[in-house]
Tab-separated table of all heavy atoms in Angstrom:
chain	number	residue	atom	x	y	z
A	1	LEU	N	-5.820	10.520	1.383
A	1	LEU	CA	-4.726	11.480	1.372
A	1	LEU	C	-3.580	10.941	2.216
A	1	LEU	O	-3.779	10.514	3.349
A	1	LEU	CB	-5.204	12.822	1.942
A	1	LEU	CG	-4.176	13.943	1.989
A	1	LEU	CD1	-3.686	14.272	0.585
A	1	LEU	CD2	-4.780	15.172	2.636
A	2	VAL	N	-2.394	10.958	1.642
A	2	VAL	CA	-1.192	10.488	2.333
A	2	VAL	C	-0.274	11.688	2.503
A	2	VAL	O	0.165	12.275	1.516
A	2	VAL	CB	-0.502	9.368	1.536
A	2	VAL	CG1	0.760	8.921	2.218
A	2	VAL	CG2	-1.456	8.195	1.343
A	3	ASN	N	0.015	12.046	3.755
A	3	ASN	CA	0.748	13.283	4.024
A	3	ASN	C	2.251	13.136	4.193
A	3	ASN	O	2.963	14.126	4.136
A	3	ASN	CB	0.181	13.954	5.286
A	3	ASN	CG	-1.224	14.466	5.050
A	3	ASN	OD1	-1.511	15.013	4.001
A	3	ASN	ND2	-2.091	14.275	6.017
A	4	ASP	N	2.738	11.924	4.458
A	4	ASP	CA	4.176	11.776	4.675
A	4	ASP	C	4.618	10.352	4.351
A	4	ASP	O	3.797	9.488	4.035
A	4	ASP	CB	4.561	12.165	6.107
A	4	ASP	CG	3.857	11.351	7.173
A	4	ASP	OD1	3.547	10.161	6.937
A	4	ASP	OD2	3.611	11.899	8.258
A	5	ALA	N	5.928	10.123	4.413
A	5	ALA	CA	6.492	8.827	4.037
A	5	ALA	C	5.985	7.700	4.926
A	5	ALA	O	5.709	6.596	4.435
A	5	ALA	CB	8.023	8.900	4.084
A	6	ASP	N	5.833	7.949	6.221
A	6	ASP	CA	5.328	6.903	7.115
A	6	ASP	C	3.906	6.501	6.738
A	6	ASP	O	3.567	5.318	6.753
A	6	ASP	CB	5.378	7.365	8.569
A	6	ASP	CG	6.801	7.451	9.105
A	6	ASP	OD1	7.687	6.764	8.543
A	6	ASP	OD2	7.018	8.197	10.075
A	7	ALA	N	3.076	7.476	6.391
A	7	ALA	CA	1.705	7.179	5.977
A	7	ALA	C	1.687	6.413	4.655
A	7	ALA	O	0.854	5.529	4.455
A	7	ALA	CB	0.891	8.463	5.870
A	8	MET	N	2.619	6.738	3.752
A	8	MET	CA	2.702	6.029	2.471
A	8	MET	C	3.098	4.572	2.704
A	8	MET	O	2.521	3.656	2.101
A	8	MET	CB	3.703	6.718	1.541
A	8	MET	CG	3.799	6.093	0.163
A	8	MET	SD	2.280	6.232	-0.801
A	8	MET	CE	2.437	7.902	-1.411
A	9	ARG	N	4.072	4.351	3.580
A	9	ARG	CA	4.481	2.971	3.899
A	9	ARG	C	3.341	2.203	4.572
A	9	ARG	O	3.141	1.019	4.304
A	9	ARG	CB	5.729	2.983	4.772
A	9	ARG	CG	6.981	3.391	4.020
A	9	ARG	CD	8.237	3.275	4.891
A	9	ARG	NE	9.342	3.928	4.240
A	9	ARG	CZ	9.739	5.184	4.501
A	9	ARG	NH1	9.146	5.906	5.432
A	9	ARG	NH2	10.747	5.710	3.845
A	10	ALA	N	2.584	2.878	5.439
A	10	ALA	CA	1.450	2.243	6.106
A	10	ALA	C	0.373	1.854	5.082
A	10	ALA	O	-0.203	0.757	5.159
A	10	ALA	CB	0.870	3.159	7.176
A	11	LEU	N	0.113	2.736	4.126
A	11	LEU	CA	-0.844	2.432	3.069
A	11	LEU	C	-0.386	1.204	2.279
A	11	LEU	O	-1.172	0.303	1.989
A	11	LEU	CB	-1.014	3.635	2.137
A	11	LEU	CG	-1.869	3.395	0.892
A	11	LEU	CD1	-3.300	3.034	1.265
A	11	LEU	CD2	-1.827	4.636	0.000
A	12	ALA	N	0.893	1.164	1.952
A	12	ALA	CA	1.446	0.024	1.215
A	12	ALA	C	1.279	-1.269	2.018
A	12	ALA	O	0.993	-2.323	1.446
A	12	ALA	CB	2.915	0.267	0.897
A	13	GLY	N	1.447	-1.187	3.325
A	13	GLY	CA	1.248	-2.361	4.166
A	13	GLY	C	-0.182	-2.857	4.114
A	13	GLY	O	-0.430	-4.071	4.092
A	14	GLN	N	-1.137	-1.946	4.067
A	14	GLN	CA	-2.549	-2.325	3.953
A	14	GLN	C	-2.818	-3.001	2.609
A	14	GLN	O	-3.562	-3.978	2.534
A	14	GLN	CB	-3.445	-1.100	4.118
A	14	GLN	CG	-3.417	-0.501	5.508
A	14	GLN	CD	-4.157	0.830	5.568
A	14	GLN	OE1	-4.864	1.216	4.652
A	14	GLN	NE2	-3.985	1.533	6.678
A	15	VAL	N	-2.201	-2.479	1.560
A	15	VAL	CA	-2.360	-3.074	0.230
A	15	VAL	C	-1.713	-4.461	0.204
A	15	VAL	O	-2.287	-5.416	-0.329
A	15	VAL	CB	-1.756	-2.158	-0.858
A	15	VAL	CG1	-1.711	-2.852	-2.213
A	15	VAL	CG2	-2.538	-0.853	-0.945
A	16	ALA	N	-0.537	-4.593	0.792
A	16	ALA	CA	0.183	-5.868	0.797
A	16	ALA	C	-0.655	-6.980	1.419
A	16	ALA	O	-0.610	-8.124	0.967
A	16	ALA	CB	1.509	-5.727	1.541
A	17	ALA	N	-1.422	-6.647	2.427
A	17	ALA	CA	-2.243	-7.652	3.114
A	17	ALA	C	-3.323	-8.232	2.204
A	17	ALA	O	-3.871	-9.291	2.504
A	17	ALA	CB	-2.881	-7.027	4.356
A	18	ARG	N	-3.599	-7.553	1.090
A	18	ARG	CA	-4.650	-8.001	0.173
A	18	ARG	C	-4.105	-8.642	-1.106
A	18	ARG	O	-4.886	-9.037	-1.987
A	18	ARG	CB	-5.545	-6.824	-0.192
A	18	ARG	CG	-6.345	-6.288	0.976
A	18	ARG	CD	-7.101	-5.038	0.579
A	18	ARG	NE	-8.100	-4.648	1.542
A	18	ARG	CZ	-7.848	-3.989	2.669
A	18	ARG	NH1	-6.604	-3.669	2.984
A	18	ARG	NH2	-8.820	-3.659	3.486
A	19	LEU	N	-2.796	-8.717	-1.244
A	19	LEU	CA	-2.199	-9.199	-2.489
A	19	LEU	C	-2.148	-10.718	-2.574
A	19	LEU	O	-2.058	-11.411	-1.566
A	19	LEU	CB	-0.776	-8.654	-2.636
A	19	LEU	CG	-0.656	-7.157	-2.867
A	19	LEU	CD1	0.815	-6.762	-2.954
A	19	LEU	CD2	-1.400	-6.736	-4.123
A	20	HIS	N	-2.190	-11.180	-3.825
A	20	HIS	CA	-2.035	-12.597	-4.147
A	20	HIS	C	-0.966	-12.706	-5.228
A	20	HIS	O	-0.708	-11.738	-5.959
A	20	HIS	CB	-3.344	-13.172	-4.672
A	20	HIS	CG	-4.464	-13.077	-3.688
A	20	HIS	ND1	-5.307	-11.997	-3.623
A	20	HIS	CD2	-4.856	-13.921	-2.704
A	20	HIS	CE1	-6.185	-12.177	-2.658
A	20	HIS	NE2	-5.932	-13.337	-2.079
A	21	ALA	N	-0.366	-13.871	-5.357
A	21	ALA	CA	0.639	-14.094	-6.395
A	21	ALA	C	0.068	-13.703	-7.756
A	21	ALA	O	-1.063	-14.050	-8.085
A	21	ALA	CB	1.074	-15.547	-6.400
A	22	GLY	N	0.835	-12.937	-8.509
A	22	GLY	CA	0.432	-12.515	-9.844
A	22	GLY	C	-0.255	-11.165	-9.903
A	22	GLY	O	-0.477	-10.640	-10.988
A	23	ASP	N	-0.606	-10.601	-8.758
A	23	ASP	CA	-1.231	-9.277	-8.754
A	23	ASP	C	-0.242	-8.227	-9.250
A	23	ASP	O	0.964	-8.351	-9.039
A	23	ASP	CB	-1.695	-8.887	-7.344
A	23	ASP	CG	-2.960	-9.615	-6.918
A	23	ASP	OD1	-3.591	-10.291	-7.755
A	23	ASP	OD2	-3.312	-9.516	-5.728
A	24	VAL	N	-0.765	-7.198	-9.886
A	24	VAL	CA	0.048	-6.102	-10.413
A	24	VAL	C	-0.465	-4.794	-9.827
A	24	VAL	O	-1.668	-4.543	-9.824
A	24	VAL	CB	-0.022	-6.044	-11.956
A	24	VAL	CG1	0.720	-4.827	-12.490
A	24	VAL	CG2	0.507	-7.322	-12.573
A	25	ILE	N	0.452	-3.975	-9.353
A	25	ILE	CA	0.124	-2.638	-8.869
A	25	ILE	C	0.852	-1.655	-9.773
A	25	ILE	O	2.058	-1.788	-9.988
A	25	ILE	CB	0.584	-2.439	-7.411
A	25	ILE	CG1	-0.141	-3.409	-6.502
A	25	ILE	CG2	0.360	-1.001	-6.969
A	25	ILE	CD1	0.404	-3.422	-5.087
A	26	VAL	N	0.153	-0.669	-10.278
A	26	VAL	CA	0.754	0.357	-11.125
A	26	VAL	C	0.657	1.682	-10.395
A	26	VAL	O	-0.427	2.105	-9.995
A	26	VAL	CB	0.042	0.449	-12.491
A	26	VAL	CG1	0.639	1.569	-13.323
A	26	VAL	CG2	0.119	-0.879	-13.227
């Protein structure tokens, strides 16, 4: 559960740490 914009950006940062070239997020 993401309650606010800061939490959404933090979640995105966690996802970014796992990305590789060519990955797609929908």
